[in-house]
Amino acid sequence: MTLLDIIKHRRSVRHFLDRPVEREKIMLCLEAARLAPSACNSQPWKFIIVDDEEMKDRLCHAAFSGVYSITSFAKKAPLIVAVVSEKAKFLERIGGLIRDTRFYLIDIGIATEHFILQAEELGLGTCWLGWFNEGAVKTILKIPKDRRVDILIAVGYYDRGKIDQPHKREPMEKITAFNSYDGVGE
Ligand SMILES: Cc1cc2nc3c(=O)[nH]c(=O)nc-3n(C[C@H](O)[C@H](O)[C@H](O)COP(=O)(O)O)c2cc1C
């Protein structure tokens, strides 16, 4: 499979099989995330893997309750990864202030997608999760108060047959132009 094949194959998975994920596969996904680029090579991330059944149940119950219960499909994932946003390097933070850009969010986005594409290659389904109770996640995983958890990843095996619809994406001509924004289609 080429990289583009893997990208085309990936979907957000919201139904998981009751099958544990091998630690060796998770280590490969973490290696892909570890090698991600970041502004000033800041690497402002930590990945907390929750695969202990009891711990995961406790985490999911707290993270996906109340207003966040729309994400409760993730309770069935055998594994949840909390992507912790660490303090970026001084230079990245200064650059971000001057540019008014939160580079650390770009960094963790790239690292998370590296993880997800590696998972896809290994036959694992994933879903980005941005809608969860961050405070509860931090308390349960003992994440320091001054860190953020902007993203969780649900990971597990899945039944591919259930989600084989085409990607819903804008056509190429609507989102690209060469040499000037003027060429971008409406
Ligand atoms: C930053 C981010 C946050 C997301 N948060 C959620 C979420 O909380 N719940 C959910 O079901 N999907 C979530 N998604 C998945 C998107 O809904 C999904 O990627 C999009 O609809 C495109 O579908 P596809 O991933 O199957 O191609 C998130 C995706 C991203 C990139």
Side-chain angles (χ1 to χ4, degrees), residues 86-149:
E86 294 286 312
K87 281 206 172 118
K89 274 186 186 163
F90 180 69
L91 211 56
E92 176 175 336
R93 280 187 279 140
I94 291 292
L97 278 175
I98 295 169
R99 284 277 293 108
D100 192 21
T101 297
R102 279 187 271 176
F103 287 117
Y104 90 87
L105 283 175
I106 300 174
D107 299 338
I108 64 157
I110 298 168
T112 301
E113 190 65 1
H114 272 208
F115 182 109
I116 279 176
L117 292 178
Q118 180 58 77
E120 182 67 37
E121 196 199 21
L122 295 168
L124 294 166
T126 56
C127 192
W128 284 77
L129 305 171
W131 190 244
F132 58 89
N133 185 330
E134 182 184 357
V137 168
K138 285 174 66 173
T139 303
I140 288 171
L141 300 182
K142 300 184 178 161
I143 294 166
K145 281 199 167 56
D146 62 347
R147 305 295 196 273
R148 296 292 313 264
V149 180

Side-chain angles (χ1 to χ4, degrees), residues 24-36:
E24 308 83 71
K25 289 196 173 180
I26 289 305
M27 291 314 295
L28 289 172
C29 296
L30 289 168
E31 177 65 353
R34 188 179 75 86
L35 296 174

Side-chain angles (χ1 to χ4, degrees), residues 47-65:
F47 303 91
I48 312 300
I49 318 305
V50 184
D51 63 354
D52 175 83
E53 190 78 26
E54 207 181 304
M55 189 66 172
K56 189 188 63 83
D57 285 350
R58 217 154 65 79
L59 176 75
C60 288
H61 184 75
F64 311 127
S65 298

Side-chain angles (χ1 to χ4, degrees), residues 10-12 14 71 73 127-131 151 167 169:
R10 185 213 57 83
R11 291 290 189 289
S12 289
R14 299 185 179 89
T71 322
F73 67 85
C127 192
W128 284 77
L129 305 171
W131 190 244
I151 283 294
H167 279 119
R169 296 295 190 270

